Amino acid sequence: MLNDPSPRAALLGFAFLTLVSAAAPANAQMVVGAADNEARRLCGSGEPRPVIDGCTRIIQDPREPAEIRVLALQNRGYAYQQDGKLDQAIADYAKALSTGSSSGAVNAKIYVNLGLMHAQKGDQNQAVADYGQALTLNPALVSAYVNRAAIFMALAENARALADLDQAVRLKPNDPATLISRGDIHAVMGDQDRAIMDFTQAISLDRSNVRAWRDRSFAYRARGEADKAAADAAEAARLDPNSGDAHQSLGLSLQATGDAAQAIAEFGKAIELNPLDAQAVKARGDSYLVQGDRDRAIADFSQAIRLDPKMVTAYNNRGVAYLGKSDWDAAIGDFTAVIALSPGGSSAYLNRGEAYAAKGDRVHAIADFDQAIQLDPGLIEAHRQRAFLREQAHDGRKAIEDYDLVIAREPSDAVALRGRGLARLHLHDVDGAIVDLTAALVINREDALAYQFRSLAYSAKNDIRHALEDDAAAQRLSGGGR
């Protein structure tokens, strides 16, 4: 079975990054009323390297007033932050905060910047604490809510993320970026209706917002409205033809409409714009696979794996392609990789079991079907496959147990009825076999094997007339007679 991941989590990351600039400290305060000297000019210039040099001279000059040195610490901290020197930036911000001389509004922005840096360093808990401090000082600071929501989202605390974005939207209802962020969280939480409402409102505020169109296309696709999804994705691609994400979204939407050929073209554009986009390469492979072009699909899945060696879906779908080519060993290798990367999934065991069965390795096949059923007792296909192998191994009673589950779930499964009939015949339950085989033939009158097995059952009952009739039907259907 094919697997396709949702790109939603990555989109949320981009959403929050677009709002980070709101957290920058008010650098202009540094030069208000300042004397015209070189150090102060550099410290307020806005370019990281000159700011660091000028502010350092001010910080180290004991003749400068304390409030000027604090502003210099803030400016140098922000310059270090821009320059990627996070430890130095954190130290400067902490020292500026320790003086307590700045306003609550300024310190709140400093805490937002600290939160951004702690998150960048991987200290999510400290980042959450920083944003909390910012909101204590300024409960109306939208960037603190938005960026804290990003942390909650990364921690899978979606309800808390949504609560923060609700506050952000309340404070800034006409901000498309905040609406898009909230829409993305609604989508991740499975509430596509509310997600679409947020994206639609963002579009009404800014019809040129590519992300709003693109993300609404994801929501429509998740809601099963492939045509609307394709229309939105097409608009995103029209607005920004150089957006690989927009072309990828359009490709996914076209996939959902069944237009594999055009989807391949859009994925090609996305890959041309970003050759390192493993998801786009893998998605194109999916469309090739749908078209039956297994070789091109395998090439794309292999490239996606080279770009992202832990992409489970690329291994899985390449394994499916190898199954289609009857390359059992290659398929087994890919499904084994899926199991190693994601051991809790049942489908990889099912798929690998099918490859082992096709290869004639009944022992490993049954072991895989056992594991698939242990992980998902309701996986009917695993019961069906295991039943067939158990019958081959002359374990008719256990085969019947599996067939019973399949038929209870799918009463019109003629193949399962035929299989259970054969198992009953081997256990000398002739009447039960005839009942099952007759039921299978009611569903499919062209099943030569069902006629053949029922002929054997009638023979066991010495019902020669019916046995000969069924044998003739089996011969006719299998091409061995008229």
Side-chain angles (χ1 to χ4, degrees), residues 247-248 250-251 254 259-272 283-284 287-288 291:
H247 287 292
Q248 183 176 346
L250 180 53
L254 290 166
D259 190 347
Q262 192 57 42
I264 287 169
E266 291 300 326
F267 292 134
K269 293 175 184 177
I271 294 164
E272 185 177 347
R284 188 175 66 179
S287 287
Y288 279 131
Q291 285 192 320

Short mmCIF file of all heavy atoms in Angstrom, two decimals, residues 247-248 250-251 254 259-272 283-284 287-288 291:
data_model
loop_
_atom_site.label_atom_id
_atom_site.label_comp_id
_atom_site.label_asym_id
_atom_site.label_seq_id
_atom_site.Cartn_x
_atom_site.Cartn_y
_atom_site.Cartn_z
N HIS A 247 4.15 24.67 -6.54
CA HIS A 247 4.05 23.66 -7.59
C HIS A 247 3.88 22.26 -6.99
O HIS A 247 3.13 21.43 -7.52
CB HIS A 247 5.28 23.70 -8.49
CG HIS A 247 5.32 24.89 -9.40
ND1 HIS A 247 4.42 25.06 -10.44
CD2 HIS A 247 6.13 25.98 -9.42
CE1 HIS A 247 4.69 26.20 -11.06
NE2 HIS A 247 5.72 26.77 -10.46
N GLN A 248 4.55 22.02 -5.87
CA GLN A 248 4.38 20.73 -5.21
C GLN A 248 2.94 20.55 -4.72
O GLN A 248 2.34 19.49 -4.87
CB GLN A 248 5.36 20.58 -4.04
CG GLN A 248 5.27 19.22 -3.35
CD GLN A 248 6.31 19.06 -2.26
OE1 GLN A 248 7.25 19.83 -2.16
NE2 GLN A 248 6.13 18.06 -1.42
N LEU A 250 0.30 21.96 -5.96
CA LEU A 250 -0.54 21.73 -7.14
C LEU A 250 -0.39 20.29 -7.62
O LEU A 250 -1.38 19.64 -7.98
CB LEU A 250 -0.17 22.71 -8.25
CG LEU A 250 -0.97 22.59 -9.55
CD1 LEU A 250 -2.47 22.65 -9.28
CD2 LEU A 250 -0.56 23.68 -10.53
N GLY A 251 0.82 19.77 -7.59
CA GLY A 251 1.03 18.38 -7.98
C GLY A 251 0.26 17.42 -7.10
O GLY A 251 -0.39 16.48 -7.59
N LEU A 254 -3.41 17.63 -7.97
CA LEU A 254 -3.71 16.94 -9.23
C LEU A 254 -3.65 15.43 -9.05
O LEU A 254 -4.43 14.69 -9.66
CB LEU A 254 -2.72 17.39 -10.30
CG LEU A 254 -2.90 18.84 -10.78
CD1 LEU A 254 -1.69 19.31 -11.57
CD2 LEU A 254 -4.17 18.97 -11.63
N ASP A 259 -5.19 13.01 -11.99
CA ASP A 259 -4.44 13.47 -13.16
C ASP A 259 -2.94 13.28 -12.89
O ASP A 259 -2.21 14.23 -12.59
CB ASP A 259 -4.76 14.94 -13.44
CG ASP A 259 -4.21 15.42 -14.78
OD1 ASP A 259 -3.38 14.71 -15.37
OD2 ASP A 259 -4.61 16.51 -15.22
N ALA A 260 -2.49 12.03 -13.00
CA ALA A 260 -1.11 11.71 -12.67
C ALA A 260 -0.13 12.38 -13.62
O ALA A 260 0.94 12.85 -13.20
CB ALA A 260 -0.90 10.20 -12.69
N ALA A 261 -0.47 12.46 -14.92
CA ALA A 261 0.46 13.04 -15.89
C ALA A 261 0.74 14.51 -15.59
O ALA A 261 1.90 14.95 -15.59
CB ALA A 261 -0.11 12.89 -17.30
N GLN A 262 -0.31 15.30 -15.33
CA GLN A 262 -0.10 16.71 -15.04
C GLN A 262 0.56 16.89 -13.68
O GLN A 262 1.35 17.83 -13.47
CB GLN A 262 -1.43 17.48 -15.09
CG GLN A 262 -1.26 18.99 -15.08
CD GLN A 262 -0.39 19.51 -16.22
OE1 GLN A 262 -0.51 19.06 -17.36
NE2 GLN A 262 0.50 20.44 -15.91
N ALA A 263 0.25 15.98 -12.74
CA ALA A 263 0.91 16.04 -11.43
C ALA A 263 2.42 15.87 -11.60
O ALA A 263 3.22 16.58 -10.98
CB ALA A 263 0.35 14.96 -10.50
N ILE A 264 2.82 14.93 -12.45
CA ILE A 264 4.24 14.70 -12.71
C ILE A 264 4.89 15.98 -13.24
O ILE A 264 6.01 16.35 -12.84
CB ILE A 264 4.43 13.54 -13.70
CG1 ILE A 264 4.10 12.21 -12.99
CG2 ILE A 264 5.85 13.51 -14.27
CD1 ILE A 264 3.99 11.02 -13.92
N ALA A 265 4.20 16.69 -14.12
CA ALA A 265 4.75 17.94 -14.67
C ALA A 265 4.96 18.98 -13.57
O ALA A 265 5.99 19.67 -13.54
CB ALA A 265 3.82 18.49 -15.74
N GLU A 266 3.99 19.10 -12.66
CA GLU A 266 4.12 20.08 -11.58
C GLU A 266 5.23 19.69 -10.61
O GLU A 266 6.00 20.54 -10.15
CB GLU A 266 2.79 20.23 -10.84
CG GLU A 266 1.70 20.91 -11.65
CD GLU A 266 2.07 22.31 -12.10
OE1 GLU A 266 2.78 23.01 -11.35
OE2 GLU A 266 1.67 22.70 -13.22
N PHE A 267 5.33 18.39 -10.29
CA PHE A 267 6.42 17.97 -9.41
C PHE A 267 7.76 18.23 -10.09
O PHE A 267 8.75 18.58 -9.43
CB PHE A 267 6.28 16.48 -9.06
CG PHE A 267 5.10 16.17 -8.18
CD1 PHE A 267 4.26 15.11 -8.47
CD2 PHE A 267 4.82 16.94 -7.06
CE1 PHE A 267 3.17 14.81 -7.66
CE2 PHE A 267 3.74 16.66 -6.25
CZ PHE A 267 2.91 15.59 -6.55
N GLY A 268 7.80 18.06 -11.41
CA GLY A 268 9.04 18.36 -12.13
C GLY A 268 9.45 19.81 -11.98
O GLY A 268 10.63 20.12 -11.79
N LYS A 269 8.47 20.73 -12.03
CA LYS A 269 8.78 22.15 -11.83
C LYS A 269 9.29 22.39 -10.40
O LYS A 269 10.24 23.16 -10.20
CB LYS A 269 7.53 22.99 -12.08
CG LYS A 269 7.06 23.00 -13.53
CD LYS A 269 5.75 23.77 -13.69
CE LYS A 269 5.23 23.68 -15.12
NZ LYS A 269 3.91 24.36 -15.26
N ALA A 270 8.66 21.75 -9.43
CA ALA A 270 9.09 21.91 -8.04
C ALA A 270 10.52 21.41 -7.86
O ALA A 270 11.34 22.05 -7.18
CB ALA A 270 8.14 21.15 -7.11
N ILE A 271 10.83 20.28 -8.50
CA ILE A 271 12.17 19.71 -8.37
C ILE A 271 13.20 20.58 -9.09
O ILE A 271 14.32 20.76 -8.60
CB ILE A 271 12.18 18.27 -8.92
CG1 ILE A 271 11.30 17.37 -8.05
CG2 ILE A 271 13.60 17.72 -9.00
CD1 ILE A 271 10.93 16.05 -8.69
N GLU A 272 12.82 21.14 -10.23
CA GLU A 272 13.73 22.04 -10.95
C GLU A 272 14.07 23.26 -10.10
O GLU A 272 15.22 23.73 -10.09
CB GLU A 272 13.08 22.47 -12.26
CG GLU A 272 13.98 23.32 -13.15
CD GLU A 272 13.33 23.68 -14.47
OE1 GLU A 272 12.29 23.07 -14.80
OE2 GLU A 272 13.86 24.57 -15.17
N ALA A 283 7.03 12.40 -4.24
CA ALA A 283 5.65 12.56 -4.72
C ALA A 283 5.58 12.29 -6.22
O ALA A 283 4.61 11.68 -6.70
CB ALA A 283 5.15 13.97 -4.40
N ARG A 284 6.59 12.72 -6.98
CA ARG A 284 6.60 12.41 -8.41
C ARG A 284 6.69 10.90 -8.63
O ARG A 284 6.04 10.34 -9.52
CB ARG A 284 7.74 13.13 -9.13
CG ARG A 284 7.67 12.98 -10.64
CD ARG A 284 8.74 13.80 -11.35
NE ARG A 284 10.09 13.31 -11.07
CZ ARG A 284 11.20 13.84 -11.60
NH1 ARG A 284 11.10 14.90 -12.40
NH2 ARG A 284 12.38 13.35 -11.30
N SER A 287 3.32 9.35 -8.47
CA SER A 287 2.53 9.50 -9.69
C SER A 287 3.01 8.56 -10.79
O SER A 287 2.21 7.99 -11.54
CB SER A 287 2.56 10.95 -10.17
OG SER A 287 1.78 11.77 -9.32
N TYR A 288 4.32 8.39 -10.89
CA TYR A 288 4.83 7.41 -11.86
C TYR A 288 4.31 6.02 -11.53
O TYR A 288 3.94 5.24 -12.42
CB TYR A 288 6.36 7.40 -11.85
CG TYR A 288 7.01 8.49 -12.67
CD1 TYR A 288 8.04 9.27 -12.13
CD2 TYR A 288 6.62 8.73 -13.99
CE1 TYR A 288 8.65 10.27 -12.88
CE2 TYR A 288 7.22 9.72 -14.74
CZ TYR A 288 8.24 10.50 -14.19
OH TYR A 288 8.84 11.48 -14.94
N GLN A 291 0.85 5.51 -12.65
CA GLN A 291 0.82 5.31 -14.10
C GLN A 291 1.33 3.93 -14.52
O GLN A 291 1.22 3.56 -15.69
CB GLN A 291 1.65 6.37 -14.80
CG GLN A 291 1.01 7.75 -14.86
CD GLN A 291 1.75 8.66 -15.82
OE1 GLN A 291 2.98 8.66 -15.90
NE2 GLN A 291 1.00 9.47 -16.57
#
